[in-house]
Amino acid sequence: MVMEDFPRQAITLTQTDGSQVGKTTSDAISKIPIQFAFLVDPAAPSCSEGVYLPTFLLPTPEHGAQFNIPVNQALKINITSVATQSEITGLLYSGPYNVVKSSLGSGSFSLTWRPSASEDGQSHPICFIVQASDLC
Ligand SMILES: *[C@@H]1O[C@H](CO)[C@@H](O)[C@H](O)[C@H]1NC(C)=O
C-alpha cells in the first residue's frame, strides 16, 4: 500500500533554496510505502464480549471520551478488562510518543500521558485494545 498526502486546495511550496513548485489537489505532496502483516488466529468459540474476547469494565473510559489536561500535568487513563474463558495477556495502544503504559495485573492497565509545552492546544487521539489468549 502507498500512502499519499494531497493538498485540499492548490498550494505553492517554497524550497529552502527559494525555488517554488505548485501542487494542485490531484498532485501528491508526499508518498510513502506502508506494509502490513496479518497473523490469523483460530476462530474464537464465541464472539460474546467478556467470554473469550475481553470486554472493558469501568473505570475504562467510554469510546470517544475526551479529557482536557494542562501542559506538564499527568493524565492517567485507567483500564480494566475481563474475559471468563481466556487470559488477558496485554494492552496494545497508539498515541503520543510520551504515553507510558503500566500493567497492573488481572486485566488492569494504565496509560499515563504528561503533555509537553509543544503539545499545548492540540488534540491527540489515544487508542487501545486488550489481547487475550485461550486458557487451554
Ligand atoms: C485513574 O485513577 C487514579 C487513581 O489511581 C485517579 O487519580 C485518576 O483520576 C483516574 N483517571 C481517570 C481518567 O479517571
Side-chain angles (χ1 to χ4, degrees), residues 25-89:
T25 52
S26 51
D27 295 326
I29 304 171
S30 60
K31 297 183 186 192
I32 189 166
I34 307 279
Q35 288 189 12
F36 293 97
F38 291 93
L39 182 65
V40 179
D41 284 332
S46 158
C47 289
S48 299
E49 290 192 1
V51 185
Y52 289 91
L53 306 183
T55 191
F56 291 113
L57 301 180
L58 288 173
T60 309
E62 297 272 320
H63 175 64
Q66 297 192 13
F67 300 97
N68 291 306
I69 187 81
V71 163
N72 286 326
Q73 191 169 313
L75 167 67
K76 186 177 177 191
I77 298 174
N78 305 304
I79 298 160
T80 300
S81 59
V82 289
T84 56
Q85 301 301 313
S86 57
E87 181 192 6
I88 310 279
T89 52

Side-chain angles (χ1 to χ4, degrees), residues 92-136:
L92 301 179
Y93 70 96
S94 66
Y97 73 94
N98 45 355
V99 171
V100 177
K101 174 178 82 173
S102 298
S103 297
L104 310 171
S106 307
S108 291
F109 304 89
S110 70
L111 292 173
T112 304
W113 181 45
R114 194 180 291 273
S116 63
S118 66
E119 294 164 317
D120 188 19
Q122 300 172 2
S123 178
H124 293 270
I126 297 179
C127 301
F128 54 84
I129 58 163
V130 287
Q131 282 186 307
S133 291
D134 212 325
L135 277 176
C136 62

